[in-house]
Amino acid sequence: MTEYASRHLLDGDRPLRRDVRLLGWQFHRLLDEHGGAALRTMLRDLRHMANQRLADDPDALGAVADLLAAQPTDRLAELAHAMGLFFDLANLAEDRHRGRVLHRRERDDRQRETLAQAADALAGRSDKDRRALLASLSIEPVFTGHPTEAKRRSSRRALRRLRRDLVLLDPPDPRPRARKKRLDRMGRDLSSLWYTDPISPRKPSVMEELRRTLFAVRSAWRVAPSILDEARQAFGLHDAEARDRFRPLRFGVWIGGDRDGNPFVTSAVTRKTLERLRQVAVRLHRRECRRTRRRLTVSAPQAGLPEWLKHDIDQACAADATLAHAVAKLHPQEWLVQWLAVIDHRLRATTDRTQQGASIGYASSAEFECDLRNLDRALRDAGHDELTEGALARWRDRAQVFGLHLMRLDIRINSTDITEAVDEALRAMGVETAYAKLDDAGRRAALRKPIPADAPQRLKSADMPEPVKDLLRLMTLLARFSRQGRAEALGNLIVSMTHQASDLLAALWLLRLPGTPGGQDLAPTPMPVSALFETIGDLQQAETLLRNALAEPAYRVHVEATAGRLECMVGYSDSAKDGGYLASNWALYQCQERLAEVAREYDLKLTVFHGRGGAIGRGGGPAARAIQSLPAASLGGRLRLTEQGEVIAERYDDPDIARRHLQQLFWGTLTVSNAEASVDADARRLLATMAKTAEQAYRGFVSSPGFIPLLRECSPLPHVDRMNLGSRPSRRRGLDSLEDLRAIPFTFALNQLRAPINAFYGLGSAYHACSPPQQAVAKSLYQNWAWFRAVIDNAALALARCDPAIAQQYADRADNPEPARALVRQLGEEFERSRTAVLALQQRDTLLDAIPWLQRTVRVRTPYLDLLNLIQLELLARRSTRENPDEIERLDRALRRSIQALATGLRNTG
């Protein structure tokens, strides 16, 4: 890693240079002790040979490939494993330095994109507008179970420990014994990582996925109070009433509720998920309770605490003998400690499923917050405002953000499954016998028909497929949660692949089915039903679909009953896979504008839920840049977005980075909501033309005869399936067409080939098809339009990671290689067109030269990535010719290691 440091770092980045050298020393020591001198020497030689490619040596790749071909499979597996660990340490050093830079900028008051700067940007607004924006402010990151995290939880734990020790060594501890202790601990963790299989031996269960995500929620729990405090300070929200009204942050989760394509998410799993989230929240709150008790050992007579607090304590004890016995053991004058004992007792009873537990425990988060507020009020009534700060204030903030449910659970169901369930239910009730065969208008008419009074009995005795029965059980579960006052634990019911208005109405019909007898009233449910627009066609038809849905009384009453909240989700992954990068982004932008117009007409509060992934082709990229590119009218202070796979670890494993990420979400949402930008008609016509040209180019590429063979025969896609990243299957059926493959493994495989086509392909064709005056307009748009600038800048990053020469090596593996080779030649041509277009629009000479540190990062990693690609290619070649089961197993393990190592080096999977 010494060479990595010397080629990668800026002058003045001495702490990062020191970290890289320290980790490099540890890495080389590890290789000597556990890999052997031969492995270390081979890595050095291969790295030197791969570097020659940067010096324009045309034979460099071939020389590396020849040397690798002579190595046994076990040696190739060791090389891939060592390279993966090398990238882990490089990422660790870079992330640590990022946190260090954030601290330095904050200390020197040089941090950009802060809440104080957002407040300054709103200073020109009227008080009324400013208050309205703050009242509507709602930021909700939603953690999903999408299988794009390539690391096991055990590996992430070890890396977290290494990061902790790296922090403790900065600045260097002057005590030699303490420094040696930390270095020895790092050495042990690295040794453990060396012998830890980085690939999970089996697919995780849904509950294991949830535990993996809860691993990152601890950072969110830790930093949420500081974000809220920063927001209150920035906007002058100091009094108690303003504090209680200001509720801008919460978190959501899909794991355990996302049924789309995951047969393992059943109603029973959803119930367990809701209970598990509640248990974790209660456990965390009880820990906060203990911390607060240690700080509020105040004597009531001396502090002048109000008598009403003692009265409330006595009432609680009178209702529960166990509590009375526990309180009697406490100091009789420490009323605050006694009240905290009451809170702790009720928290413990909240997860008790017995009738006694239900009567004592908290029925809702509001009830819990009320008890905390009484604690705060008692101190303020006694004139001890300073004691309401610190631990108590942080606890109240966490209660406000996380409640007793931790994260709101969304339910996602595919529209096809909803149609099947409604069809079966209507047939069983004798209302409609051919619902699934009706068009949209016919389905809406069928859903308006009265439901027979004996519907529950008919449904109970009906012979229906098990998936339909389980979906109806889920609806009963959701209805029960609503009746029990636990609707706060539920997010939205999201209908994936929403193609027509009846898809929304059918979901609402199912949600109401377990309700009042006969289900004939329009009694609203507190759980919003939201459309998910994923394909280019669905994005373009979203406005019409939404108007049709709102024209139906049932849906209109439902939306109005949820405080006029209208939420629609837009999918970045499938739209980019469907129509390519530029067409997808333009369709998404226009869709959001049209949704905002519909919401304005109906006087509804629109929230656009952004289904973004980590890769550029799935809506990834810097979060602040992504928000800045949104249409201001679609935001209105409300932002909901998915956090997926490796993005969760990248943004939330480190509390400093988690805090910065949330800070940027707030800043971006506030500043864009305050903007009044508009795009003229000429610009729209130009973008429409460019998007159409780009879509044609992209669809021509993915529909070429060589494309499916390139994925199926040449790429490591079949081995991605075996990596057990998530519980959900990676494809819908086989791989005979692009539609069969989900967006995540599609993107994952293309990234492994260094060919991220869904992040740029077609952009070059679109630009070069423009006339010179149109190109001049496009350059002006780049300078003046945040959305277009974000599209181009993200494409630049994808192009910097693209390497047609590496993709060509994979194309040579096809059974009939010529179509695949022709396709990669076409890729190379479009790569050059797109690179030229991006540089012309940015008015730059080389990719990423406006971000020198990122440009160096990409450049310095390229030889290491090349080496991993060549290792993978050699393993794939052997895998295709071997028949011995033991050797095939060794090759499969080695291939999975190469995939994981490449994902680590690219800092991206799918």
Side-chain angles (χ1 to χ4, degrees):
M1 290 184 72
T2 304
E3 180 188 7
Y4 186 92
S6 63
R7 296 178 56 212
H8 177 59
L9 305 179
L10 283 169
D11 292 338
D13 283 341
R14 290 184 178 179
L16 175 55
R17 192 183 298 270
R18 183 185 66 233
D19 286 348
V20 170
R21 286 175 174 164
L22 170 62
L23 291 172
W25 169 73
Q26 292 272 24
F27 178 69
H28 291 137
R29 181 196 59 77
L30 180 76
L31 287 181
D32 288 341
E33 292 182 7
H34 301 286
L39 177 64
R40 180 177 176 179
T41 301
M42 178 169 290
L43 265 177
R44 182 196 63 203
D45 294 344
L46 285 168
R47 186 182 63 225
H48 175 75
M49 294 166 67
N51 276 331
Q52 298 307 305
R53 186 182 176 214
L54 292 180
D56 295 326
D57 181 353
D59 300 323
L61 289 181
V64 173
D66 290 343
L67 180 55
L68 292 173
Q71 305 305 313
T73 296
D74 289 344
R75 174 63 76 189
L76 295 179
E78 278 188 321
L79 287 168
H81 184 50
M83 292 294 294
L85 189 53
F86 168 86
F87 277 127
D88 276 329
L89 297 181
N91 295 343
L92 197 67
E94 291 178 6
D95 287 346
R96 169 63 198 132
H97 191 61
R98 182 183 172 192
R100 186 186 290 120
V101 168
L102 291 175
H103 279 293
R104 186 191 306 160
R105 288 177 180 170
E106 195 163 359
R107 181 196 64 202
D108 299 340
D109 198 23
R110 294 187 297 108
Q111 189 66 277
R112 298 179 302 155
E113 300 172 355
T114 65
L115 283 160
Q117 291 167 357
D120 290 341
L122 294 178
R125 300 283 290 269
S126 68
D127 286 344
K128 179 181 178 182
D129 288 347
R130 187 168 171 270
R131 285 195 302 269
L133 180 55
L134 291 178
S136 67
L137 184 62
S138 175
I139 310 294
E140 186 173 11
V142 180
F143 296 91
T144 76
H146 287 69
T148 62
E149 170 57 76
K151 280 189 178 54
R152 292 177 61 194
R153 194 154 52 120
S154 54
S155 299
R156 284 175 58 192
R157 281 201 191 100
L159 290 169
R160 181 176 282 191
R161 291 194 299 269
L162 285 166
R163 181 176 61 245
R164 178 199 60 200
D165 283 323
L166 204 57
V167 170
L168 292 173
L169 288 168
D170 181 20
D173 195 318
R175 299 169 299 173
R177 287 181 62 186
R179 179 174 175 81
K180 182 179 185 303
K181 180 179 178 180
R182 289 165 188 148
L183 290 173
D184 289 345
R185 190 164 58 200
M186 291 178 74
R188 289 192 295 272
D189 279 327
L190 277 170
S191 297
S192 177
L193 267 177
W194 179 262
Y195 290 109
T196 297
D197 188 347
I199 310 301
S200 178
R202 58 178 177 79
K203 275 188 172 294
S205 69
V206 178
M207 299 309 292
E208 286 171 334
E209 284 181 324
L210 181 64
R211 284 197 294 273
R212 184 165 64 185
T213 298
L214 292 175
F215 190 71
V217 171
R218 290 184 298 177
S219 289
W221 180 273
R222 179 174 170 181
V223 303
S226 66
I227 287 292
L228 293 184
D229 186 61
E230 182 181 349
R232 287 190 293 263
Q233 293 296 325
F235 295 105
L237 305 174
H238 301 302
D239 64 272
E241 185 179 352
R243 177 194 186 111
D244 288 338
R245 285 200 313 266
F246 187 58
R247 295 172 172 265
L249 178 64
R250 58 185 172 183
F251 292 87
V253 65
W254 275 16
I255 304 165
D258 184 7
R259 299 169 68 97
D260 184 16
N262 193 337
F264 305 110
V265 178
T266 63
S267 59
V269 166
T270 299
R271 178 183 53 77
K272 288 179 184 177
T273 299
L274 288 162
E275 295 302 332
R276 176 61 177 161
L277 291 171
R278 190 173 179 85
Q279 290 165 3
V280 172
V282 166
R283 186 176 71 237
L284 290 171
H285 283 304
R286 293 191 68 200
R287 187 177 67 183
E288 296 294 322
C289 188
R290 290 191 295 271
R291 287 176 177 171
T292 308
R293 281 179 66 169
R294 289 195 291 267
R295 287 166 172 81
L296 292 180
T297 53
V298 174
S299 173
Q302 290 178 310
L305 294 178
E307 288 291 333
W308 61 258
L309 179 61
K310 180 58 175 172
H311 176 264
D312 287 355
I313 295 169
D314 291 342
Q315 273 198 323
C317 291
D320 189 321
T322 304
L323 173 62
H325 181 71
V327 169
K329 295 180 180 180
L330 302 175
H331 194 294
Q333 302 301 328
E334 292 182 354
W335 295 354
L336 298 179
V337 171
Q338 291 180 10
W339 185 244
L340 285 163
V342 172
I343 292 174
D344 184 63
H345 184 71
R346 296 193 68 186
L347 281 170
R348 184 169 61 249
T350 298
T351 54
D352 185 353
R353 295 184 181 179
T354 65
Q355 187 174 357
Q356 183 182 12
S359 65
I360 298 170
Y362 289 110
S364 66
S365 297
E367 198 174 296
F368 168 52
E369 284 190 67
C370 181
D371 277 358
L372 287 180
R373 192 160 50 248
N374 284 340
L375 188 64
D376 181 276
R377 183 162 64 93
L379 285 165
R380 292 186 188 276
D381 286 354
H384 299 295
D385 291 25
E386 75 282 0
L387 292 180
T388 65
E389 301 304 319
L392 177 57
R394 290 192 295 272
W395 186 14
R396 290 191 64 200
D397 285 341
R398 287 171 177 136
Q400 183 194 100
V401 172
F402 298 98
L404 294 174
H405 54 277
L406 196 66
M407 299 180 284
R408 297 197 310 157
L409 179 66
D410 281 348
I411 305 297
R412 185 169 72 144
I413 311 172
N414 193 285
S415 60
T416 302
D417 296 333
I418 290 172
T419 299
E420 182 185 5
V422 172
D423 183 71
E424 292 284 349
L426 287 172
R427 182 181 292 110
M429 293 186 296
V431 175
E432 175 61 57
T433 59
Y435 175 82
K437 297 178 181 178
L438 299 174
D439 61 11
D440 183 47
R443 291 182 181 184
R444 281 189 274 157
L447 294 170
R448 295 189 208 110
K449 294 179 181 179
I451 297 175
D454 62 346
Q457 291 78 16
R458 292 195 187 191
L459 289 173
K460 196 171 184 179
S461 61
D463 182 18
M464 294 184 286
E466 179 55 31
V468 172
K469 289 182 180 178
D470 190 68
L471 185 50
L472 295 179
R473 285 194 292 268
L474 172 67
M475 297 302 161
T476 302
L477 171 69
L478 300 177
R480 185 167 69 246
F481 260 68
S482 297
R483 288 196 303 271
Q484 292 173 347
R486 293 179 60 183
E488 62 190 11
L490 304 175
N492 290 11
L493 196 162
I494 299 165
V495 182
S496 60
M497 289 296 171
T498 308
H499 300 308
Q500 50 197 11
S502 57
D503 292 334
L504 285 180
L505 297 164
L508 179 59
W509 187 88
L510 286 174
L511 199 57
R512 288 172 46 235
L513 194 59
T516 55
Q520 296 181 43
D521 67 349
L522 295 179
T525 171
M527 189 175 194
V529 175
S530 306
L532 169 49
F533 305 112
E534 299 178 80
T535 66
I536 298 289
D538 288 341
L539 289 166
Q540 292 170 340
Q541 297 299 318
E543 177 187 6
T544 301
L545 185 152
L546 195 56
R547 289 185 187 280
N548 287 340
L550 288 169
E552 295 288 336
Y555 191 69
R556 181 67 185 276
V557 169
H558 162 74
V559 172
E560 290 174 348
T562 55
R565 291 184 294 124
L566 176 66
E567 183 166 308
C568 297
M569 186 172 183
V570 292
Y572 290 71
S573 305
D574 279 286
S575 59
K577 181 171 79 80
D578 177 36
Y581 179 67
L582 185 59
S584 167
N585 276 276
W586 181 233
L588 284 160
Y589 187 89
Q590 290 182 297
C591 175
Q592 292 173 67
E593 285 188 313
R594 292 166 182 157
L595 293 176
E597 179 61 31
V598 174
R600 214 167 20 246
E601 288 182 23
Y602 283 85
D603 193 25
L604 300 172
K605 302 181 185 74
L606 174 69
T607 298
V608 177
F609 184 8
H610 300 271
R612 294 180 177 272
I616 299 297
R618 297 187 56 242
R625 179 193 295 171
I627 298 169
Q628 283 181 291
S629 68
L630 300 177
S634 72
L635 211 51
R638 294 175 290 274
L639 176 71
R640 211 165 185 249
L641 77 165
T642 55
E643 307 277 29
Q644 300 183 14
E646 77 277 4
V647 168
I648 296 176
E650 181 180 320
R651 292 175 175 170
Y652 292 94
D653 269 8
D654 186 317
D656 289 332
I657 293 176
R659 182 177 181 275
R660 177 57 176 162
H661 174 60
L662 292 172
Q663 186 184 61
Q664 288 181 306
L665 294 185
F666 272 81
W667 172 84
T669 302
L670 285 164
T671 53
V672 173
S673 298
N674 186 45
E676 295 181 359
S678 61
V679 186
D680 63 42
D682 290 340
R684 291 178 181 278
R685 280 192 291 271
L686 175 59
L687 259 297
T689 301
M690 291 181 68
K692 185 176 181 180
T693 303
E695 183 177 3
Q696 290 172 344
Y698 171 84
R699 286 188 166 166
F701 183 82
V702 297
S703 62
S704 298
F707 185 72
I708 293 300
L710 182 67
L711 288 179
R712 185 172 53 200
E713 301 170 13
C714 308
S715 84
L717 177 62
H719 303 277
V720 169
D721 293 349
R722 302 187 191 109
M723 287 186 70
N724 300 321
L725 302 185
S727 62
R728 189 178 76 173
S730 66
R731 60 190 69 184
R732 293 175 174 88
R733 293 177 292 275
L735 182 50
D736 298 321
S737 68
L738 188 61
E739 290 74 22
D740 292 335
L741 185 63
R742 296 188 185 279
I744 290 173
F746 171 77
T747 305
F748 202 142
L750 289 170
N751 283 348
Q752 293 278 307
L753 266 61
R754 314 268 289 280
I757 59 167
N758 55 344
F760 76 87
Y761 199 97
L763 182 60
S765 294
Y767 179 78
H768 288 288
C770 293
S771 65
Q774 288 175 320
Q775 292 180 354
V777 171
K779 291 176 183 177
S780 175
L781 290 177
Y782 177 82
Q783 296 298 325
N784 300 303
W785 188 9
W787 172 81
F788 192 58
R789 187 162 55 251
V791 167
I792 299 305
D793 289 347
N794 283 337
L797 178 56
L799 287 163
R801 291 172 171 168
C802 180
D803 196 331
I806 293 294
Q808 186 68 60
Q809 302 280 328
Y810 285 87
D812 291 340
R813 297 192 58 255
D815 294 337
N816 179 18
E818 193 46 46
R821 288 171 180 164
L823 195 68
V824 174
R825 286 194 295 271
Q826 190 176 332
L827 168 67
E829 293 166 2
E830 182 61 25
F831 169 82
E832 286 300 327
R833 282 192 292 268
S834 298
R835 187 179 66 85
T836 303
V838 165
L839 293 176
L841 290 164
Q842 292 179 326
Q843 299 183 47
R844 298 283 180 181
D845 295 325
T846 56
L847 292 171
L848 304 182
D849 65 359
I851 318 173
W853 69 266
L854 183 57
Q855 186 183 55
R856 281 190 302 277
T857 294
V858 172
R859 180 174 175 80
V860 78
R861 287 177 182 238
T862 294
Y864 302 89
L865 295 171
D866 290 348
L867 175 55
L868 275 169
N869 279 120
L870 293 173
I871 291 172
Q872 187 177 94
L873 281 159
E874 177 60 31
L875 291 169
L876 285 169
R878 295 182 188 185
R879 179 65 173 79
S880 64
T881 60
R882 299 302 193 268
E883 296 181 357
N884 183 284
D886 292 338
E887 189 171 2
I888 287 174
E889 176 58 29
R890 284 199 302 275
L891 284 164
D892 284 345
R893 281 200 304 270
L895 275 165
R896 291 194 290 271
R897 289 193 173 193
S898 74
I899 293 167
Q900 195 270 345
L902 267 169
T904 303
L906 290 165
R907 304 209 71 166
N908 201 272
T909 56

